[in-house]
Amino acid sequence: MDRWHWWNRHYGFLASTYTTIKGVTMENLTVLGTGVLGSQIAFQAAYQGKNVVAYDLNDEILAKLTARWEYLKPLYLRDLPEATPEKLDAAVRRIRTSSDLADALKDAEIVIEAVPEVLQIKRDTWARAGALAPAHTVFATNSSTLLPSDIADATGRPEKFLALHFSNEVWRQNTGEIMGHAGTNPQYLDTVAVFAEEIGMMPIKLKKEQPGYILNSLLVPFMTSAAKLYVRDVADVAVIDATWRRATGAPLGPFEIYDIIGMETPYNLNIQSEDPELREFADTLKRNFIDQGRLGRATGKGFYDYE
Ligand code: NAD
């Protein structure tokens, strides 16, 4: 059973217990940051018919998106029965790139931010976006570990600010965790839930702020335990992964998941840790993986080599 079917078999019932308000649609999305997740969010939204502007720091970075689209297309064809080369090409045509923030934001109805998981970078990015975006534009962060309340005041429009958290490989691991802070107007939680559904996500609304949402409250301790097994050299990564898969029936072990996440986010998280073992893990990720171009599955190499 592939992971899509595994997910649906175990959690598909959530979709039927969740209701959203229909009728409020947002067609124009701007994505801030076009790395692992930003590129996937932009492509997925465009694939579902939205007009997308992809913003990043400079045109050199944006030029790499062509390769990202070519990486994503075969995965859509593999995983989504209705995907065709024509639909995927049409998605690419719906994406405009810009390294000029004012230009990138001028028509945005919703902005999703996927810049590095560093609080100051997020706050600076949102402060600039808040000053430039139209007043009606709704703001969502894809942060994995920060809280909306850490960032909200920087946006200048805290009532329209919330988190919409995607899971890597958004076209099939399609959860959209929606989490406001105390000052978010609930109307925007509903609007963003509708948008999430329209771009093919299963919207999951949290009742309150929770560091790591539902997914990472479960996943991060698991990945941290794997990092410690690695630093302590308890067993090879393939053995650790195989143990987890065989004993639980889960489709992937932790190091296979690291390869999907990509090395940058775990590096950024662990290098800030107070735990020396986790800082050592971050140093290893930098030295043996990031500096060697082994950035994860998206680059064909990580803990494992891929075709
Ligand atoms: P990444 O390093 O792959 O991409 C970050 C992108 O942001 C890069 O293209 C970089 O050039 C750009 N950037 C840097 N500073 C910027 C700025 N000031 N303005 C605009 N763009 C800027 O990181 P990622 O893995 O895509 O993670 C991005 C966010 O998504 C993080 O908050 C992370 O927690 C979250 N997230 C990641 C995953 C994952 O599996 N990688 C999953 C869910 C959520």
Side-chain angles (χ1 to χ4, degrees):
M1 194 185 310
D2 67 25
R3 279 184 296 151
W4 171 242
H5 291 100
W6 183 87
W7 168 263
N8 271 332
R9 193 172 107 188
H10 290 264
Y11 305 112
F13 68 92
L14 283 174
S16 59
T17 59
Y18 186 83
T19 54
T20 56
I21 296 172
K22 298 282 174 199
V24 192
T25 62
M26 294 184 285
E27 297 306 322
N28 297 335
L29 164 69
T30 296
V31 177
L32 307 180
T34 61
V36 175
L37 252 286
S39 62
Q40 291 183 22
I41 295 165
F43 191 79
Q44 173 68 16
Y47 178 72
Q48 295 294 345
K50 301 296 179 186
N51 307 312
V52 178
V53 181
Y55 165 83
D56 214 304
L57 293 173
N58 58 55
D59 291 337
E60 216 172 30
I61 298 172
L62 289 170
K64 294 185 187 151
L65 281 175
T66 311
R68 296 254 191 204
W69 309 148
E70 294 311 312
Y71 163 74
L72 290 171
K73 283 177 184 177
L75 300 178
Y76 274 64
L77 291 171
R78 182 194 68 190
D79 295 334
L80 305 181
E82 81 288 357
T84 62
E86 293 72 31
K87 281 188 187 174
L88 296 165
D89 289 343
V92 173
R93 286 197 296 277
R94 277 193 283 274
I95 303 170
R96 182 171 78 80
T97 59
S98 179
S99 57
D100 172 343
L101 190 58
D103 169 61
L105 292 170
K106 66 182 181 353
D107 297 319
E109 289 163 299
I110 177 166
V111 177
I112 300 177
E113 164 270 307
V115 304
E117 190 72 348
V118 177
L119 180 60
Q120 203 50 49
I121 295 179
K122 300 251 188 224
R123 287 183 60 88
D124 290 348
T125 302
W126 278 118
R128 290 195 301 132
L132 292 169
H136 63 266
T137 309
V138 178
F139 285 176
T141 179
N142 180 46
S143 172
S144 297
T145 58
L146 301 167
L147 292 171
S149 56
D150 294 332
I151 304 169
D153 63 307
T155 68
R157 60 186 80 185
E159 75 289 353
K160 292 194 182 70
F161 181 71
L162 53 103
L164 172 58
H165 181 240
F166 294 80
S167 186
N168 204 329
E169 303 207 330
V170 303
W171 62 95
R172 63 176 191 167
Q173 311 299 100
N174 61 338
T175 49
E177 293 182 280
I178 296 162
M179 182 171 83
H181 60 98
T184 306
N185 181 331
Q187 159 192 351
Y188 298 109
L189 301 175
D190 292 335
T191 314
V192 171
V194 172
F195 179 81
E197 210 167 11
E198 286 173 348
I199 65 167
M201 298 300 111
M202 184 175 85
I204 297 167
K205 262 205 249 171
L206 275 67
K207 292 194 243 172
K208 55 180 66 163
E209 274 199 329
Q210 160 68 26
Y213 313 80
I214 298 171
L215 176 63
N216 284 332
S217 295
L218 298 168
L219 186 61
V220 171
F222 172 68
M223 300 300 280
T224 300
S225 300
K228 292 192 173 201
L229 291 176
Y230 183 83
V231 167
R232 292 173 196 169
D233 198 22
V234 171
D236 291 343
V237 294
V239 173
I240 297 169
D241 281 347
T243 305
W244 181 253
R245 287 195 313 266
R246 178 62 65 97
T248 64
L252 296 175
F255 296 97
E256 293 165 306
I257 297 175
Y258 273 120
D259 276 354
I260 291 174
I261 293 171
M263 302 301 169
E264 305 276 3
T265 294
Y267 171 77
N268 283 328
L269 289 178
N270 286 303
I271 201 68
Q272 301 174 58
S273 171
E274 284 170 13
D275 183 330
E277 276 189 324
L278 295 182
R279 286 201 305 278
E280 187 184 334
F281 182 65
D283 285 339
T284 309
L285 287 182
K286 173 98 175 67
R287 215 177 33 252
N288 294 352
F289 295 90
I290 295 171
D291 290 351
Q292 310 300 323
R294 302 188 74 92
L295 297 179
R297 210 154 92 171
T299 56
K301 291 180 288 192
F303 282 102
Y304 299 93
D305 289 329
Y306 301 88
E307 288 299 313

